Amino acid sequence: MRICSLLPSATEIVYVLGLGDSIVGVTHECDYPTQTKQAPVVVHSRIDPHHTSSSEINQSVTQHLKSNKGIYTLDMPRFNEADPDIILTQALCDVCALDYNEVVAAARSLPRRPQILSLNPSNLSEVFQDIVRVGEITGQGGTAENVVRGLEGRVQMIKNALPHGAPRPKVACIEWLDPLYSAGHWIPEMVEIAGGWDPLADTGQPSQQIPWSRIRDCQPDVVILMPCGFDIDRTVEELDLLDRLPGWNTLPAIKEDRLYPVNGHAYFNRPGPRLVDGLEILAQIIHPEIFPWTATSDQAVRLTQDK
């Protein structure tokens, strides 16, 4: 079996099913587990996020999409060499991965027609269903069901630990800093399971650009920064964007030192098994009186006003 995974989340699913040795192609963003870095990279980005500001990244993304160029390129020689039996991709977000139609067209050029599985979850249940779907197409259905049972058990433990009637703090999850975006899809559901309420987004709906006034008016008790594709250090580099916002320091979350940059890249942006790790991190942030802090400094940090 030869698998091309064109999504970091799908790559993580393949590995958790014990099929890492079957991967013959990945994307430039596939970095977990570490063994993934040994696989041939067949997808590259036209944008360098490491030496570009949030605003510049957003402008570049917008320009590429308007020109119908696409943000990602498929390395056809390497793709042909990979000669996959199975291709894992998505049609959910043009900003997140190769255009689905481009993947289909590329697959048709191969000597043999591979199976294409598109993963397009919008909530936790669908993420778990996708793990089972990958298990079924790869002959690892039983393993996938066991993995999902384990993940669901961890989710249930959080639900059981929250007392009935526990207060639900207002939690603002920010997925991009310039311009500001709320975190959509599965994030509002995760916040709710962890005992909070995100008034800026609805479960299952895409992330949306929002005005600063909307965040200011909701007066969040907790602010969690999870820019898509950023780790904590990269997020902290751009904190001055928030400090300049009028009324930022008057938010209850800031006054009470409840500002948390988290590793969105690893635990929140990718719809894979590590979302449950992200859920456990959220529970510790939102209800520290119930869930003792165990998050490491590369998972989440709490910032005080003196930083």
Side-chain angles (χ1 to χ4, degrees):
M1 182 166 49
R2 301 173 65 82
I3 303 171
C4 258
S5 174
L6 307 184
L7 295 169
S9 56
T11 300
E12 294 189 23
I13 291 172
V14 170
Y15 269 92
V16 83
L17 296 180
L19 296 172
D21 290 342
S22 298
I23 290 183
V24 293
V26 296
T27 80
H28 66 292
E29 292 182 324
C30 294
D31 56 7
Y32 185 87
T34 55
Q35 304 96 293
T36 305
K37 298 177 182 180
Q38 300 172 6
V41 175
V42 299
V43 176
H44 300 274
S45 175
R46 290 189 169 100
I47 300 171
D48 179 8
H50 302 293
H51 302 93
T52 315
S53 70
S54 291
S55 177
E56 291 168 338
I57 293 171
N58 181 73
Q59 291 173 11
S60 184
V61 167
T62 301
Q63 290 169 359
H64 278 87
L65 294 180
K66 282 184 178 179
S67 64
N68 293 318
K69 278 176 127 183
I71 300 168
Y72 303 96
T73 60
L74 182 63
D75 186 329
M76 285 304 300
R78 280 196 168 187
F79 183 68
N80 289 332
E81 185 179 341
D83 190 25
D85 305 306
I86 297 170
I87 300 173
L88 303 177
T89 186
Q90 62 97 52
L92 182 68
C93 174
D94 290 338
V95 178
C96 301
L98 274 169
D99 178 79
Y100 177 76
N101 293 325
E102 183 178 349
V103 174
V104 172
R108 287 175 179 163
S109 71
L110 295 173
R112 54 178 174 169
R113 294 290 177 87
Q115 292 180 277
I116 301 176
L117 180 61
S118 182
L119 309 178
N120 308 296
S122 59
N123 56 47
L124 276 182
S125 176
E126 291 175 358
V127 172
F128 295 160
Q129 289 171 20
D130 279 349
I131 294 174
V132 172
R133 292 173 65 212
V134 173
E136 290 173 345
I137 199 173
T138 58
Q140 296 294 319
T143 300
E145 290 177 1
N146 287 336
V147 168
V148 168
R149 275 195 292 270
L151 295 172
E152 289 175 334
R154 289 164 62 190
V155 173
Q156 191 60 48
M157 286 179 65
I158 292 175
K159 292 180 177 180
N160 293 343
L162 286 166
H164 180 72
R168 288 191 170 269
K170 285 187 288 186
V171 181
C173 293
I174 310 301
E175 194 175 82
W176 201 249
L177 304 186
D178 189 12
L180 292 163
Y181 271 75
S182 62
H185 299 299
W186 43 83
I187 296 297
E189 177 188 12
M190 291 169 63
V191 170
E192 182 178 1
I193 293 171
W197 167 50
D198 188 344
L200 302 176
D202 296 315
T203 294
Q205 297 302 309
S207 303
Q208 296 183 350
Q209 185 175 343
I210 56 175
W212 157 241
S213 59
R214 190 173 168 200
I215 301 175
R216 181 185 59 207
D217 292 347
C218 89
Q219 292 289 287
D221 303 299
V222 182
V223 173
I224 304 175
L225 308 178
M226 50 180 68
C228 188
F230 284 12
D231 60 15
I232 292 173
D233 290 341
R234 183 68 174 83
T235 299
V236 170
E237 287 178 11
E238 299 198 358
L239 282 179
D240 62 310
L241 295 170
L242 303 176
D243 289 333
R244 294 198 297 261
L245 295 170
W248 171 256
N249 289 321
T250 68
L251 295 179
I254 306 306
K255 291 194 292 186
E256 296 298 322
D257 290 334
R258 301 197 71 185
L259 171 64
Y260 296 87
V262 298
N263 191 333
H265 182 63
Y267 303 107
F268 297 95
N269 310 146
R270 298 177 178 181
R274 288 194 293 171
L275 281 185
V276 177
D277 296 332
L279 174 61
E280 292 166 346
I281 293 168
L282 285 179
Q284 295 169 42
I285 289 172
I286 297 170
H287 282 288
E289 76 284 3
I290 300 173
F291 302 96
W293 187 267
T294 60
T296 60
S297 59
D298 63 343
Q299 293 178 322
V301 296
R302 181 181 183 181
L303 296 183
T304 60
Q305 290 193 66
D306 59 10
K307 308 283 190 304

PDB file of all heavy atoms in Angstrom, residues 122 173 183-193 196-198 200-205:
ATOM      1  N   SER A 122     -16.118  19.349  10.105  1.00  0.00           N
ATOM      2  CA  SER A 122     -16.421  20.672  10.646  1.00  0.00           C
ATOM      3  C   SER A 122     -16.657  20.635  12.152  1.00  0.00           C
ATOM      4  O   SER A 122     -16.874  21.669  12.768  1.00  0.00           O
ATOM      5  CB  SER A 122     -17.653  21.265   9.950  1.00  0.00           C
ATOM      6  OG  SER A 122     -18.781  20.424  10.118  1.00  0.00           O
ATOM      7  N   CYS A 173     -11.560  32.939  21.149  1.00  0.00           N
ATOM      8  CA  CYS A 173     -10.493  32.202  20.478  1.00  0.00           C
ATOM      9  C   CYS A 173     -10.172  32.912  19.165  1.00  0.00           C
ATOM     10  O   CYS A 173     -11.045  33.024  18.287  1.00  0.00           O
ATOM     11  CB  CYS A 173     -10.922  30.763  20.207  1.00  0.00           C
ATOM     12  SG  CYS A 173     -11.127  29.772  21.705  1.00  0.00           S
ATOM     13  N   ALA A 183     -12.057  31.812  15.645  1.00  0.00           N
ATOM     14  CA  ALA A 183     -11.743  30.415  15.344  1.00  0.00           C
ATOM     15  C   ALA A 183     -13.042  29.631  15.195  1.00  0.00           C
ATOM     16  O   ALA A 183     -13.829  29.544  16.141  1.00  0.00           O
ATOM     17  CB  ALA A 183     -10.880  29.809  16.451  1.00  0.00           C
ATOM     18  N   GLY A 184     -13.268  29.078  14.010  1.00  0.00           N
ATOM     19  CA  GLY A 184     -14.518  28.374  13.745  1.00  0.00           C
ATOM     20  C   GLY A 184     -14.380  26.866  13.736  1.00  0.00           C
ATOM     21  O   GLY A 184     -13.545  26.286  14.426  1.00  0.00           O
ATOM     22  N   HIS A 185     -15.228  26.232  12.916  1.00  0.00           N
ATOM     23  CA  HIS A 185     -15.279  24.776  12.768  1.00  0.00           C
ATOM     24  C   HIS A 185     -15.459  24.087  14.127  1.00  0.00           C
ATOM     25  O   HIS A 185     -16.467  24.268  14.788  1.00  0.00           O
ATOM     26  CB  HIS A 185     -14.041  24.270  12.034  1.00  0.00           C
ATOM     27  CG  HIS A 185     -13.915  24.827  10.643  1.00  0.00           C
ATOM     28  ND1 HIS A 185     -14.847  24.608   9.670  1.00  0.00           N
ATOM     29  CD2 HIS A 185     -12.959  25.617  10.064  1.00  0.00           C
ATOM     30  CE1 HIS A 185     -14.495  25.212   8.556  1.00  0.00           C
ATOM     31  NE2 HIS A 185     -13.354  25.840   8.767  1.00  0.00           N
ATOM     32  N   TRP A 186     -14.462  23.320  14.565  1.00  0.00           N
ATOM     33  CA  TRP A 186     -14.576  22.499  15.780  1.00  0.00           C
ATOM     34  C   TRP A 186     -14.214  23.268  17.053  1.00  0.00           C
ATOM     35  O   TRP A 186     -14.500  22.802  18.146  1.00  0.00           O
ATOM     36  CB  TRP A 186     -13.664  21.272  15.653  1.00  0.00           C
ATOM     37  CG  TRP A 186     -12.332  21.637  15.085  1.00  0.00           C
ATOM     38  CD1 TRP A 186     -11.246  22.136  15.752  1.00  0.00           C
ATOM     39  CD2 TRP A 186     -11.961  21.614  13.709  1.00  0.00           C
ATOM     40  NE1 TRP A 186     -10.222  22.416  14.885  1.00  0.00           N
ATOM     41  CE2 TRP A 186     -10.631  22.101  13.611  1.00  0.00           C
ATOM     42  CE3 TRP A 186     -12.621  21.220  12.532  1.00  0.00           C
ATOM     43  CZ2 TRP A 186      -9.959  22.205  12.396  1.00  0.00           C
ATOM     44  CZ3 TRP A 186     -11.951  21.326  11.323  1.00  0.00           C
ATOM     45  CH2 TRP A 186     -10.634  21.814  11.274  1.00  0.00           C
ATOM     46  N   ILE A 187     -13.616  24.452  16.935  1.00  0.00           N
ATOM     47  CA  ILE A 187     -13.128  25.159  18.125  1.00  0.00           C
ATOM     48  C   ILE A 187     -14.260  25.572  19.071  1.00  0.00           C
ATOM     49  O   ILE A 187     -14.152  25.346  20.293  1.00  0.00           O
ATOM     50  CB  ILE A 187     -12.283  26.386  17.730  1.00  0.00           C
ATOM     51  CG1 ILE A 187     -11.025  25.931  16.984  1.00  0.00           C
ATOM     52  CG2 ILE A 187     -11.898  27.198  18.967  1.00  0.00           C
ATOM     53  CD1 ILE A 187     -10.082  25.065  17.794  1.00  0.00           C
ATOM     54  N   PRO A 188     -15.370  26.179  18.606  1.00  0.00           N
ATOM     55  CA  PRO A 188     -16.443  26.525  19.561  1.00  0.00           C
ATOM     56  C   PRO A 188     -16.975  25.315  20.322  1.00  0.00           C
ATOM     57  O   PRO A 188     -17.295  25.414  21.516  1.00  0.00           O
ATOM     58  CB  PRO A 188     -17.521  27.142  18.661  1.00  0.00           C
ATOM     59  CG  PRO A 188     -16.778  27.653  17.471  1.00  0.00           C
ATOM     60  CD  PRO A 188     -15.674  26.665  17.245  1.00  0.00           C
ATOM     61  N   GLU A 189     -17.067  24.182  19.651  1.00  0.00           N
ATOM     62  CA  GLU A 189     -17.510  22.951  20.311  1.00  0.00           C
ATOM     63  C   GLU A 189     -16.518  22.531  21.386  1.00  0.00           C
ATOM     64  O   GLU A 189     -16.910  22.134  22.494  1.00  0.00           O
ATOM     65  CB  GLU A 189     -17.678  21.840  19.284  1.00  0.00           C
ATOM     66  CG  GLU A 189     -18.073  20.498  19.875  1.00  0.00           C
ATOM     67  CD  GLU A 189     -18.045  19.377  18.856  1.00  0.00           C
ATOM     68  OE1 GLU A 189     -17.508  19.583  17.740  1.00  0.00           O
ATOM     69  OE2 GLU A 189     -18.549  18.298  19.176  1.00  0.00           O
ATOM     70  N   MET A 190     -15.234  22.622  21.084  1.00  0.00           N
ATOM     71  CA  MET A 190     -14.207  22.263  22.060  1.00  0.00           C
ATOM     72  C   MET A 190     -14.273  23.180  23.276  1.00  0.00           C
ATOM     73  O   MET A 190     -14.140  22.722  24.423  1.00  0.00           O
ATOM     74  CB  MET A 190     -12.823  22.322  21.411  1.00  0.00           C
ATOM     75  CG  MET A 190     -12.591  21.236  20.376  1.00  0.00           C
ATOM     76  SD  MET A 190     -11.083  21.492  19.383  1.00  0.00           S
ATOM     77  CE  MET A 190      -9.806  21.398  20.639  1.00  0.00           C
ATOM     78  N   VAL A 191     -14.494  24.466  23.039  1.00  0.00           N
ATOM     79  CA  VAL A 191     -14.621  25.412  24.148  1.00  0.00           C
ATOM     80  C   VAL A 191     -15.816  25.043  25.021  1.00  0.00           C
ATOM     81  O   VAL A 191     -15.732  25.062  26.262  1.00  0.00           O
ATOM     82  CB  VAL A 191     -14.761  26.852  23.621  1.00  0.00           C
ATOM     83  CG1 VAL A 191     -15.149  27.811  24.744  1.00  0.00           C
ATOM     84  CG2 VAL A 191     -13.453  27.316  22.966  1.00  0.00           C
ATOM     85  N   GLU A 192     -16.915  24.687  24.385  1.00  0.00           N
ATOM     86  CA  GLU A 192     -18.115  24.314  25.148  1.00  0.00           C
ATOM     87  C   GLU A 192     -17.871  23.054  25.972  1.00  0.00           C
ATOM     88  O   GLU A 192     -18.239  22.988  27.152  1.00  0.00           O
ATOM     89  CB  GLU A 192     -19.293  24.099  24.193  1.00  0.00           C
ATOM     90  CG  GLU A 192     -20.584  23.751  24.924  1.00  0.00           C
ATOM     91  CD  GLU A 192     -21.760  23.580  23.980  1.00  0.00           C
ATOM     92  OE1 GLU A 192     -21.569  23.718  22.755  1.00  0.00           O
ATOM     93  OE2 GLU A 192     -22.861  23.301  24.475  1.00  0.00           O
ATOM     94  N   ILE A 193     -17.249  22.047  25.388  1.00  0.00           N
ATOM     95  CA  ILE A 193     -16.960  20.814  26.120  1.00  0.00           C
ATOM     96  C   ILE A 193     -16.043  21.099  27.308  1.00  0.00           C
ATOM     97  O   ILE A 193     -16.192  20.512  28.383  1.00  0.00           O
ATOM     98  CB  ILE A 193     -16.313  19.771  25.192  1.00  0.00           C
ATOM     99  CG1 ILE A 193     -17.313  19.312  24.130  1.00  0.00           C
ATOM    100  CG2 ILE A 193     -15.812  18.561  25.990  1.00  0.00           C
ATOM    101  CD1 ILE A 193     -16.707  18.440  23.045  1.00  0.00           C
ATOM    102  N   GLY A 196     -16.568  26.361  28.658  1.00  0.00           N
ATOM    103  CA  GLY A 196     -16.633  27.779  28.354  1.00  0.00           C
ATOM    104  C   GLY A 196     -17.682  28.077  27.304  1.00  0.00           C
ATOM    105  O   GLY A 196     -18.459  27.209  26.906  1.00  0.00           O
ATOM    106  N   TRP A 197     -17.672  29.327  26.835  1.00  0.00           N
ATOM    107  CA  TRP A 197     -18.609  29.757  25.791  1.00  0.00           C
ATOM    108  C   TRP A 197     -17.894  30.772  24.921  1.00  0.00           C
ATOM    109  O   TRP A 197     -17.364  31.769  25.430  1.00  0.00           O
ATOM    110  CB  TRP A 197     -19.860  30.378  26.423  1.00  0.00           C
ATOM    111  CG  TRP A 197     -20.729  31.122  25.438  1.00  0.00           C
ATOM    112  CD1 TRP A 197     -21.182  30.674  24.235  1.00  0.00           C
ATOM    113  CD2 TRP A 197     -21.242  32.460  25.573  1.00  0.00           C
ATOM    114  NE1 TRP A 197     -21.939  31.627  23.612  1.00  0.00           N
ATOM    115  CE2 TRP A 197     -21.994  32.730  24.414  1.00  0.00           C
ATOM    116  CE3 TRP A 197     -21.138  33.432  26.564  1.00  0.00           C
ATOM    117  CZ2 TRP A 197     -22.638  33.948  24.213  1.00  0.00           C
ATOM    118  CZ3 TRP A 197     -21.776  34.640  26.376  1.00  0.00           C
ATOM    119  CH2 TRP A 197     -22.523  34.899  25.219  1.00  0.00           C
ATOM    120  N   ASP A 198     -17.832  30.492  23.622  1.00  0.00           N
ATOM    121  CA  ASP A 198     -17.206  31.407  22.677  1.00  0.00           C
ATOM    122  C   ASP A 198     -18.299  32.164  21.942  1.00  0.00           C
ATOM    123  O   ASP A 198     -18.968  31.613  21.063  1.00  0.00           O
ATOM    124  CB  ASP A 198     -16.332  30.639  21.682  1.00  0.00           C
ATOM    125  CG  ASP A 198     -15.498  31.566  20.798  1.00  0.00           C
ATOM    126  OD1 ASP A 198     -15.812  32.776  20.752  1.00  0.00           O
ATOM    127  OD2 ASP A 198     -14.548  31.091  20.164  1.00  0.00           O
ATOM    128  N   LEU A 200     -18.036  34.441  19.782  1.00  0.00           N
ATOM    129  CA  LEU A 200     -17.582  34.992  18.507  1.00  0.00           C
ATOM    130  C   LEU A 200     -17.747  34.030  17.338  1.00  0.00           C
ATOM    131  O   LEU A 200     -17.514  34.415  16.188  1.00  0.00           O
ATOM    132  CB  LEU A 200     -16.103  35.392  18.607  1.00  0.00           C
ATOM    133  CG  LEU A 200     -15.753  36.415  19.684  1.00  0.00           C
ATOM    134  CD1 LEU A 200     -14.246  36.644  19.726  1.00  0.00           C
ATOM    135  CD2 LEU A 200     -16.487  37.729  19.441  1.00  0.00           C
ATOM    136  N   ALA A 201     -18.136  32.777  17.593  1.00  0.00           N
ATOM    137  CA  ALA A 201     -18.207  31.792  16.509  1.00  0.00           C
ATOM    138  C   ALA A 201     -19.241  30.727  16.839  1.00  0.00           C
ATOM    139  O   ALA A 201     -19.646  30.568  17.997  1.00  0.00           O
ATOM    140  CB  ALA A 201     -16.843  31.160  16.280  1.00  0.00           C
ATOM    141  N   ASP A 202     -19.657  30.013  15.812  1.00  0.00           N
ATOM    142  CA  ASP A 202     -20.614  28.918  15.964  1.00  0.00           C
ATOM    143  C   ASP A 202     -19.980  27.616  15.496  1.00  0.00           C
ATOM    144  O   ASP A 202     -19.265  27.587  14.483  1.00  0.00           O
ATOM    145  CB  ASP A 202     -21.875  29.179  15.134  1.00  0.00           C
ATOM    146  CG  ASP A 202     -22.631  30.409  15.609  1.00  0.00           C
ATOM    147  OD1 ASP A 202     -22.801  30.558  16.835  1.00  0.00           O
ATOM    148  OD2 ASP A 202     -23.044  31.217  14.756  1.00  0.00           O
ATOM    149  N   THR A 203     -20.268  26.534  16.201  1.00  0.00           N
ATOM    150  CA  THR A 203     -19.716  25.228  15.849  1.00  0.00           C
ATOM    151  C   THR A 203     -20.084  24.848  14.417  1.00  0.00           C
ATOM    152  O   THR A 203     -21.231  25.001  13.999  1.00  0.00           O
ATOM    153  CB  THR A 203     -20.247  24.160  16.813  1.00  0.00           C
ATOM    154  OG1 THR A 203     -19.745  24.411  18.118  1.00  0.00           O
ATOM    155  CG2 THR A 203     -19.806  22.762  16.385  1.00  0.00           C
ATOM    156  N   GLY A 204     -19.103  24.376  13.688  1.00  0.00           N
ATOM    157  CA  GLY A 204     -19.338  23.917  12.328  1.00  0.00           C
ATOM    158  C   GLY A 204     -19.225  24.987  11.275  1.00  0.00           C
ATOM    159  O   GLY A 204     -19.166  24.674  10.084  1.00  0.00           O
ATOM    160  N   GLN A 205     -19.176  26.251  11.675  1.00  0.00           N
ATOM    161  CA  GLN A 205     -19.073  27.346  10.720  1.00  0.00           C
ATOM    162  C   GLN A 205     -17.607  27.719  10.509  1.00  0.00           C
ATOM    163  O   GLN A 205     -16.798  27.613  11.429  1.00  0.00           O
ATOM    164  CB  GLN A 205     -19.856  28.563  11.207  1.00  0.00           C
ATOM    165  CG  GLN A 205     -21.351  28.311  11.339  1.00  0.00           C
ATOM    166  CD  GLN A 205     -21.976  27.869  10.030  1.00  0.00           C
ATOM    167  OE1 GLN A 205     -21.796  28.512   8.993  1.00  0.00           O
ATOM    168  NE2 GLN A 205     -22.698  26.756  10.067  1.00  0.00           N
TER     169      GLN A 205
END
